[in-house]
Every structure is written in C-alpha cells, then in structure tokens.
C-alpha cells in the first residue's frame, strides 16, 4: 500500500496529513473523524480549471456537491472559481447560506419539488436542469408568474454505458434520470420547450456514470450528444449554447486502481467536443464538466479508534472500530474497497491479517476485508484513505450513532468544519405526544414539546 501524496510518517512513527499528526487529531477531536486536506482539494480544482483553460477555454468546472458538501467546502469551491451542482433544496440552501454566487449554480435532480423549483427561481439559480416533462410545465408556469424566463438544460440519456458498478451507471437508456434520445422523447420535449414563454433553453446535459476508469465512453457520449444536437438543429432550428458532460472520473481507492488523470479526461472530452462541432459546422458550445469524487475523494481520510479484536480460530480476525456503515456506507452498498493503516504504528511492519468491521448491528457493516495491519491493539487509531467523497454526504444515524466531526487540515493546522453530533442532537427533533410521556420524567428532561 502506498501513502497518498499528502501523507508522511513523522518522527513519532505516526501518520501525518498536511503536516497534522493524525494521532493528535484523533485525541483532540475524537473519533470517528473525517479529515480533509484543503490543499489537495484546491489542487484538484486547479487541475480541472487549468486543463480546461488549455483545451477548451469557453468552459466551466462545476463541483458536484453531492460528493461532499459543507459550508466551508462550498467556500473553498467558490474561492477556486468553480461553479456548483446541487440536487436538492438542502444543498441549495447550504450554498446560499455560504454566500455562493447563485448564478454559478446548476440545479439537478430527477424529482424536484415545486418548493425546490420555487426556491431556485427566488434565489436566482443560474441553470435548472430539466429532467422530465412535469418539471418543465411547472417551471414554465412559475417563471411566468414571476415575469421571468428560467434558463434550462435538458438532461438526456445518451444510451452510453460506462463500465462501473451498475448502481452508479446513469447514461444507459433504462435509467430513472433524464429524457431518452433514442426514443425521441428528448427531441419532442425540447421542441415543445422552445415554444414555452417561461423557458429559455440553453443546451443539453448528460452524465454517464461515476468512478469511471476507462474514459473512452465519454467520447462516444459526446458523439451521441452532437448527433442529437444536429438533429435538433434540423428539426427546430435550435443551436445549444451549453454542453454539460457531467462528472464521473474515478479515483484511487485501492492499490492497483489506475484512473485516467484529470488532464487526460479533460483533453479527451474537450477534444471530442471540438472535433464533433467542427465536423458538423456547429458553433462551439460552452463546455461544462461536473466532477465530484475526483475533486474531494482522495483528499479525505477517516480516523477511527480500534475496539474489540475478535480472533475466530482458523477463520478470521475481526478488528472492530468505533464507526462503520453509518459514516461510510459504500462498502455495504457497492462492495467498495478501501485501504488504510494503523496511524500510531505507521512505520511498523504490517503482518497481521484482519477484517475491519464497524459497530453497527448488521453483518454487512464492513469497512475493509482482509488487510494486513501492524500489531493491532485496542485504542489504536486506524486511518482509512480516500473517504472524501460520498462518505460524510451519505452518512446516516443508523443505530443512533452520532455523525462524526470533520476537520480541514492545511500547513500543520486543523480547523473544525463540521462539529460532532451529540446525543442531544439525536433527540432534538423527536416529539413525544403528551399521552406517551412518563409523568415522573416530565419535570426533568423527558418533557419535550
Ligand atoms: N453530475 C451529475 C448529474 C451526477 O449525477 C453526478 C453523480 C456527478 C455529476 C458527479 O459524479 P462524480 O464525479 O462524483 O463521479 N454514491 C455513489 C456515487 C453516485 C454518483 C451520483 N451522481 C458512490 O458512492 O460511488
């Protein structure tokens, strides 16, 4: 196993991230703890921006907030000059409260509620991505009521399948997302939208999947999108101003993972778009990319404290930590593979084969199957790498586990950006009807409104 670039082992033999000793972090902030390397996030943002500036200047990088969103992260994304892709009122609200420029927001989602659409119009969100006809009609009406036009992209299913886990493929025809190109539904919807007074059609969008290693399918997707744009130009005289190719680039979770680089991916998509436009004499649309995982995934590490170590003779040694599927459901959901090490024994030989399990009441609550670690003992600090994307954002309170805290580290300094949930937070929204209240409790703490 290789340490990530932002990591080193310090003189105490401890794992250090961005100059912060992870054992000290665990002591100070408790565990489980999400640790996010700020410089690494910024570096990835710049890698996208710079590659696009080189290969396709009229473009925008938009961070897919679903991968990891907090107010502080939203500030970093803004400082780096990226746009933001949100998919719910909650993500939109977070961005709004963090002072993110609303005109740089793209609002996705396959079932936006009327309230969410209303909110988007009121906040002045830049682009709304229309996923279905119900939404189109609603949006048209709402925009007209406000005497405005809503700028929209249409989400299309290009019928391209990226080779990744089937739950994270989204570009294939049989998908809950978007409007079909092959079946003619997309053409009909856009032709209709062009007649709606409350709608301004800016262009088209697709997203072919996530954790993609083989980037060739992007080329095919660009080709299918331009075929469609050409068809639309002929049928309706419409030319797109924006082509949004979504996100999806994979990251390193595990030794042997070899995703394409950001530059390779950008170059391929940008090159394909230029070629297709030129070949068809189509005015070059603005290119939008929406990376999530590849901006924050490898910048995140989760720290846990080792508890029970259970040796089942001849079978397996279970090493249980104080978190699990509640803070990282990806192993249970996608059979995701992670790697990590014992942070306080980072320079010791890893000779003990263990399976790292969480503390949830569920046999599928595993974090890493079969990993070599250094002489594990209760109280050790275990670090799991590449947990920046789709961990905190998919965390739950299963078993009423409070969600972990998150710290942002840079230049040897740590800042708390998400406080640890408390037991009080867990019951804060609970209500006990009067008829169920225990009398003897009511005067003390059980009497919640
Ligand atoms: N744009 C759209 C429209 C998307 O649906 C997504 C991800 C992205 C951009 C960002 O994709 P990324 O660059 O992060 O691959 N929970 C799953 C991943 C679900 C991805 C959903 N959409 C996981 O943990 O692997």
């Amino acid at each position: 196993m290789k340490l990530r670039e932002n990591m080193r082992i310090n003189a105490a033999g401890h794992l250090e991230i961005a100059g912060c000793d992870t054992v000290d972090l665990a002591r100070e902030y408790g565990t489980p703890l999400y640790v996010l390397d700020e410089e690494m996030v910024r570096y990835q943002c710049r890698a996208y921006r710079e590659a696009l500036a080189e290969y396709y200047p009229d473009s925008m990088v938009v961070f897919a907030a679903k991968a990891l969103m907090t107010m502080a992260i939203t500030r970093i994304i803004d400082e780096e000059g990226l746009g933001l892709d949100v998919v719910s009122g909650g993500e939109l609200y977070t961005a709004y409260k963090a002072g993110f420029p609303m005109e740089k927001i793209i609002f996705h989602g396959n079932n936006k509620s009327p309230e969410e659409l209303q909110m988007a119009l009121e906040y002045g969100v830049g682009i709304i991505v229309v996923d279905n006809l119900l939404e189109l009609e609603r949006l048209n009406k709402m925009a007209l009521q406000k005497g405005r036009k809503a700028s929209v992209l249409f989400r299309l299913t290009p019928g391209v399948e990226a080779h990744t886990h089937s739950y994270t493929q989204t570009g294939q025809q049989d998908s809950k997302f978007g409007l079909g190109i092959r079946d003619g539904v997309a053409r009909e919807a856009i032709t209709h939208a062009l007649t709606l007074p409350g709608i301004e059609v800016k262009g088209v969008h697709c997203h072919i999947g996530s954790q993609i290693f083989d980037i060739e399918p992007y080329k095919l997707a660009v080709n299918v999108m331009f075929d469609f744009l050409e068809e639309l130009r002929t049928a309706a005289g419409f030319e797109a101003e924006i082509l949004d190719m979504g996100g999806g680039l994979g990251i390193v979770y595990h030794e042997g993972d070899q995703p394409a680089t950001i530059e390779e991916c950008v170059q391929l998509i940008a090159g394909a778009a230029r070629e297709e436009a030129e070949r068809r004499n189509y005015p070059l649309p603005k290119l939008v990319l929406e990376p999530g995982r590849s901006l924050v995934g490898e910048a995140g590490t989760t720290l846990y404290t080792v508890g029970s170590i259970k040796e089942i003779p001849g079978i397996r040694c279970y090493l249980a930590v104080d978190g699990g599927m509640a803070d990282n459901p990806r192993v249970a959901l996608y059979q995701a593979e992670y790697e990590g090490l014992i942070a306080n024994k980072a320079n010791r030989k890893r000779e003990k084969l263990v399976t790292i399990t969480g503390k949830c009441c569920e046999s599928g609550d595993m974090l890493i199957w079969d990993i070599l670690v250094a002489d594990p003992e209760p109280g050790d600090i275990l670090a799991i790498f590449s947990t920046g994307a789709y961990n905190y954002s998919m965390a739950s309170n299963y078993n009423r586990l409070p969600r972990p805290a998150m710290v942002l580290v840079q230049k040897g300094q740590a800042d708390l950006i998400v406080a640890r949930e408390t037991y009080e937070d867990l019951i804060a929204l609970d209500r006990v009807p009067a008829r169920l209240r225990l009398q003897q409790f009511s005067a003390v703490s059980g009497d919640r409104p």
Side-chain angles (χ1 to χ4, degrees):
M1 188 206 52
K2 235 178 73 189
L3 291 183
R4 304 298 187 256
E5 264 171 45
N6 56 340
M7 297 176 175
R8 70 176 199 109
I9 298 171
N10 64 18
H14 295 175
L15 176 71
E16 217 178 77
I17 303 176
C20 292
D21 184 315
T22 53
V23 180
D24 289 346
L25 290 177
R27 197 175 305 129
E28 184 169 353
Y29 297 97
T31 56
L33 180 69
Y34 295 116
V35 180
L36 188 73
D37 181 336
E38 178 173 343
E39 279 309 311
M40 204 159 164
V41 174
R42 290 184 185 274
Y43 182 86
Q44 299 297 86
C45 290
R46 285 173 203 160
Y48 268 102
R49 274 221 336 262
E50 282 162 19
L52 269 164
E54 180 170 353
Y55 299 109
Y56 205 111
D58 185 15
S59 55
M60 175 155 91
V61 193
V62 168
F63 172 54
K66 73 203 81 177
L68 178 65
M69 188 184 214
T70 75
M71 303 224 322
I73 291 161
T74 307
R75 294 299 330 131
I76 295 174
I77 296 300
D78 187 20
E79 281 188 12
E80 289 302 325
L82 272 60
L84 201 66
D85 140 12
V86 301
V87 291
S88 68
E91 288 185 355
L92 180 55
Y93 185 75
T94 307
Y96 182 73
K97 285 293 195 180
F100 197 87
M102 290 291 121
E103 68 280 5
K104 289 171 81 178
I105 290 200
I106 299 191
F107 193 3
H108 283 278
N110 73 310
N111 189 23
K112 301 174 201 74
S113 67
E115 293 76 21
E116 287 173 323
L117 290 173
Q118 203 60 263
M119 197 172 162
L121 289 175
E122 263 155 37
Y123 285 179
V125 157
I127 299 260
I128 298 176
V129 181
V130 172
D131 175 274
N132 56 70
L133 296 168
L134 172 70
E135 192 171 278
L136 180 64
E137 299 302 336
R138 275 183 179 159
L139 194 56
N140 177 49
K141 267 199 208 129
M142 288 176 180
L144 284 178
Q145 273 165 9
K146 292 198 175 333
R148 301 223 329 250
K149 267 181 185 283
S151 295
V152 307
L153 298 182
F154 276 82
R155 176 153 189 173
L156 311 179
T157 43
V160 174
E161 300 189 23
H163 303 288
T164 173
H165 191 288
S166 64
Y167 292 179
T168 50
Q169 287 179 357
T170 42
Q172 75 274 23
Q173 265 204 304
D174 180 3
S175 167
K176 76 165 186 161
F177 298 103
L179 301 164
I181 292 183
R182 286 198 199 144
D183 53 21
V185 175
R187 190 188 55 226
E188 227 168 89
I190 298 178
T191 313
H192 172 56
L194 290 168
T195 69
L196 297 176
I199 298 290
E200 182 167 356
V201 184
K202 290 280 188 189
V204 289
H205 155 71
C206 72
H207 172 76
I208 61 171
S210 199
Q211 184 58 1
I212 294 171
F213 279 16
D214 172 12
I215 56 178
E216 278 303 307
Y218 281 115
K219 207 168 173 177
L220 185 57
V222 171
N223 172 267
V224 173
M225 295 297 269
F226 269 95
D227 272 351
F228 176 73
L229 286 179
E230 202 173 4
E231 184 188 322
L232 206 58
R233 174 164 69 177
T234 312
F238 167 79
E239 284 178 338
E241 274 174 57
I242 298 176
L243 171 67
D244 176 348
M245 291 302 297
L249 179 62
I251 62 163
V252 176
Y253 280 105
H254 196 258
E255 191 152 26
D257 284 348
Q258 283 186 319
T261 64
I262 289 173
E263 188 178 1
E264 284 164 349
C265 184
V266 167
Q267 188 179 6
L268 179 117
I269 298 174
R274 284 179 170 289
E275 240 169 66
E276 294 287 347
E278 202 168 309
R279 190 157 66 79
R280 299 159 199 268
N281 199 17
Y282 199 97
L284 209 56
K286 178 178 180 138
L287 179 65
V288 175
L289 297 182
E290 301 176 339
R293 189 189 318 263
S294 52
L295 288 179
V296 293
E298 289 182 43
T301 305
T302 309
L303 304 179
Y304 300 95
T305 301
V306 174
S308 126
I309 301 174
K310 193 174 288 175
E311 186 82 57
I312 306 181
I315 300 189
R316 185 179 290 285
C317 177
Y318 283 107
L319 187 155
V321 296
D322 55 353
M325 66 187 292
D327 60 80
N328 181 1
R330 298 193 68 261
V331 183
L333 273 176
Y334 318 119
Q335 298 83 48
E337 290 183 24
Y338 286 87
E339 57 187 21
L341 50 65
I342 293 183
N344 51 306
K345 296 172 180 167
N347 55 1
R348 299 231 208 128
K349 260 217 155 84
R350 292 162 214 155
E351 289 178 324
K352 176 71 184 165
L353 187 67
V354 298
T355 285
I356 295 164
T357 177
K359 63 178 279 151
C360 292
C361 291
E362 183 108 3
S363 349
D365 175 27
M366 294 297 162
L367 289 172
I368 304 179
W369 291 94
D370 297 330
I371 178 176
L372 285 172
V373 294
D375 180 28
E377 291 163 291
D380 282 342
I381 302 300
L382 182 90
I384 296 193
F385 301 164
S386 294
T387 57
Y390 304 111
N391 273 227
Y392 169 74
S393 65
M394 292 175 79
S396 76
N397 290 121
Y398 184 44
N399 293 164
R400 288 236 147 175
L401 297 183
R403 268 173 289 207
M406 191 184 308
V407 291
L408 191 64
V409 291
Q410 47 96 33
K411 302 186 181 96
Q413 190 195 319
D415 292 296
L416 187 69
I417 60 168
V418 179
R420 182 174 303 283
E421 267 179 349
T422 63
Y423 291 148
E424 274 307 309
D425 291 331
L426 291 177
I427 60 167
L429 300 176
D430 286 10
R431 300 290 181 270
V432 182
R435 63 190 169 78
L436 295 177
R437 285 184 204 157
L438 270 179
Q439 290 315 312
Q440 67 267 37
F441 264 29
S442 59
V444 200
S445 63
D447 192 12
R448 305 186 67 83

